[in-house]
Amino acid sequence: AFTFKVGKELQVRVAHEGKNIIMKAKVLREEKLKTPAGTFDTWVIQPQFEMEGAFKPTGNNLIWLTKDDRKRIVRIESKIKIGTIVVGAQSIQ
């Protein structure tokens, strides 16, 4: 189980296409987020990946996780050249 705290960096190994990669996530802030699925207290994290020993930035991505025990993803933002892609929870079961 991870302990979240603003400014803390978390690290976990993930298997991807037969290779182990390291995913790091920095906890940027706490935020109350309103979505069609409801209003949630969240942690806003910024993921980064390390592949084959070389740090590979993934762009400016943010993930909103609920502050409850389930840590559900309720929003993702990814900045690209022409704007921002936003994915948000419509309902949660």
Side-chain angles (χ1 to χ4, degrees), residues 30-46:
E30 297 177 43
E31 187 175 303
K32 187 171 287 286
L33 180 68
K34 292 182 182 181
T35 73
T39 301
F40 302 94
D41 290 322
T42 65
W43 295 107
V44 181
I45 64 169
Q46 184 172 38

Side-chain angles (χ1 to χ4, degrees), residues 71-86:
K71 307 281 188 287
R72 296 173 287 187
I73 297 173
V74 290
R75 182 180 177 98
I76 299 172
E77 282 188 13
S78 183
K79 298 210 186 280
I80 58 174
K81 287 183 181 182
I82 60 170
T84 303
I85 297 172
V86 177

Side-chain angles (χ1 to χ4, degrees), residues 24 44 54 65:
K24 294 180 182 181
V44 181
L65 298 176

